[in-house]
């Protein structure tokens, strides 16, 4: 009796070992599948969800709409600016008006509710570029620096993500490369 019991227990242990292996392997396989599936559908990853769905890939990429249509001040002022819903309605007062997200867009606009776009966190140590840093888009755009140098391949992204940390080292490395001023007062005034 005692011996049989020992053998039983060993067999049980062996089975548990095999099934444990199978289980671990299948969990691993499912995780891989999810990971690669996700990256297949969203090659450029997915950023924060917006109150009204908006895709840069579709607008700036597929439809080839210029960044300046929506970020009007990027070439003339310090800030690029985020578009008000009026800008969307330039096209969507006639385009696919009954498509649910556009119906939501129009409803939000006509009921005068503010839309709060979710922001990408571009600097590790702060939520936004802090007040003590002076940055100016226009000076960079005038030197033909591509948006992608700082913001990445926006035209491939449905929902924007950060591709690099826009920290002080990043700014200064490029300023040195271009022989642009890199004394403290350039960026801290
Ligand atoms: C210069 C014209 C233009 C402007 C401005 C514009 N769109 Fe569009 N939008 C389009 C076109 C073209 C399509 C594709 C329509 C189609 O598929 O028939 C589209 C499609 C869409 C769709 C549906 C696409 C999808 O993901 O399935 C949404 C949502 C949308 N736009 C939101 C917006 C928002 C929000 C704004 C303002 C921030 C905006 N659009 C500004 C031209 C524009
Ligand atoms: C049809 C309008 C439209 C066009 C064209 C457009 N954008 Fe935008 N952009 C938006 C809207 C709306 C937001 C805010 C919501 C979001 O982040 O998706 C935004 C946000 C951004 C942000 C800020 C992200 C943040 O959270 O601070 C960057 C950077 C940006 N766009 C870059 C670009 C670049 C580069 C192009 C051209 C290749 C471009 N955009 C073209 C409408 C547009
Ligand atoms: C030299 C780097 C650099 C380049 C080039 C650049 N940006 Fe930016 N952009 C920034 C920084 C820094 C911020 C501020 C981020 C923050 O506040 O967290 C920013 C913020 C933005 C925002 C958010 C709204 C705002 O004004 O803060 C938009 C939209 C934007 N950029 C669009 C563009 C577009 C479109 C281009 C190209 C025409 C462009 N950027 C080129 C560095 C750059
Ligand atoms: C891709 C290279 C590049 C990057 C990255 C970059 N800059 Fe610049 N920046 C330049 C160049 C080139 C100039 C000189 C423009 C000129 O004087 O014609 C400049 C000029 C400036 C100026 C204006 C200086 C003046 O004389 O008034 C400020 C301010 C500035 N950059 C801040 C920043 C900040 C802050 C960052 C990081 C968030 C940054 N830059 C990132 C290339 C870059
Ligand atoms: C080309 C632009 C640029 C120049 C030049 C520059 N900085 Fe900065 N600095 C930044 C940016 C952008 C940040 C915010 C992001 C970060 O913390 O890296 C920053 C942040 C800082 C901070 C706060 C760091 C923290 O994490 O709290 C200090 C302190 C600072 N800078 C000092 C200096 C000094 C001293 C000089 C001169 C030797 C200088 N900076 C020159 C762009 C610049």
């Amino acid at each position: 009796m005692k011996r049989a019991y020992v053998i039983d227990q060993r067999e049980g242990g062996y089975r548990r070992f095999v099934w444990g292996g199978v289980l671990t392997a299948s969990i691993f396989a499912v995780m891989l599948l999810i990971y690669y599936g996700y990256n297949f559908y969203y090659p450029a990853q997915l950023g924060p969800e917006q109150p009204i769905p908006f895709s840069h890939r579709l607008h700036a990429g597929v439809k080839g709409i210029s960044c300046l249509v929506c970020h009007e001040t990027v070439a003339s002022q310090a800030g690029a600016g985020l578009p008000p819903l009026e800008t969307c309605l330039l096209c969507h007062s006639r385009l696919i008006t009954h498509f649910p997200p556009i119906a939501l867009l129009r409803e939000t606009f006509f009921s005068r509710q503010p839309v709060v776009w979710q922001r990408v966190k571009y600097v590790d140590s702060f939520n936004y570029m802090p007040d003590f840093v002076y940055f100016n888009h226009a000076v960079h755009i005038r030197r033909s620096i591509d948006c992608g140098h700082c913001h990445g391949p926006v035209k491939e992204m449905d929902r924007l993500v950060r591709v690099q940390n826009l920290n002080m080292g990043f700014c200064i490395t490029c300023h040195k490369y271009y022989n642009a001023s890199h004394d403290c007062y350039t960026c801290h005034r």
Side-chain angles (χ1 to χ4, degrees):
M1 272 316 279
K2 211 180 170 194
R3 227 175 134 194
Y5 171 75
V6 169
I7 290 168
D8 251 349
Q9 203 184 30
R10 270 199 197 154
E11 281 192 341
Y14 180 68
R15 272 195 220 112
R16 245 178 276 134
F17 176 73
V18 170
W19 284 114
V22 169
L23 194 70
T24 315
S26 41
I27 289 174
F28 196 63
V30 168
M31 276 162 62
L32 275 182
L33 210 69
I34 292 172
Y35 179 76
Y36 283 108
Y38 183 86
N39 282 290
F40 180 77
Y41 278 106
Y42 304 113
Q45 305 295 319
L46 268 191
E49 199 172 331
Q50 299 296 343
I52 296 168
F54 178 78
S55 166
H56 276 84
R57 185 184 58 79
L58 178 87
H59 288 86
V62 180
K63 301 293 174 186
I65 300 167
S66 158
C67 312
L68 274 94
V69 171
C70 298
H71 305 296
E72 292 174 13
T73 57
V74 74
S76 55
Q77 292 175 22
L82 294 179
L85 293 182
E86 279 99 323
T87 308
C88 313
L89 289 174
L90 287 177
C91 300
H92 289 294
S93 60
R94 288 186 292 127
L95 264 181
I96 54 170
T97 49
H98 295 296
F99 187 58
I102 303 299
L104 173 68
L105 187 155
R106 294 163 58 82
E107 193 186 301
T108 312
F109 176 75
F110 289 114
S111 62
R112 294 175 189 280
Q113 291 166 45
V115 53
V116 183
W117 300 114
Q118 295 302 303
R119 303 293 305 272
V120 175
K121 196 168 174 274
Y122 281 113
V123 195
D124 263 346
S125 26
F126 305 93
N127 278 326
Y128 301 120
M129 195 54 80
D131 282 347
F132 59 80
V133 177
Y134 174 71
F135 176 75
N136 187 315
H137 273 94
V139 286
H140 295 89
I141 308 311
R142 265 186 244 125
R143 288 291 296 262
S144 320
I145 292 167
D146 190 76
C147 313
H149 196 108
C150 299
H151 295 301
V154 166
K155 289 180 184 172
E156 293 167 18
M157 300 179 194
D158 281 307
R159 297 194 325 227
L160 298 189
V161 287
R162 178 177 87 173
V163 296
Q164 71 235 330
N165 190 2
L166 301 185
N167 59 10
M168 183 158 121
F170 174 75
C171 311
I172 288 181
T173 305
C174 187
H175 277 213
K176 284 186 176 156
Y177 177 82
Y178 276 90
N179 250 326
S181 156
H182 53 268
D183 66 54
C184 315
Y185 294 104
T186 309
C187 307
H188 303 296
R189 311 181 167 177

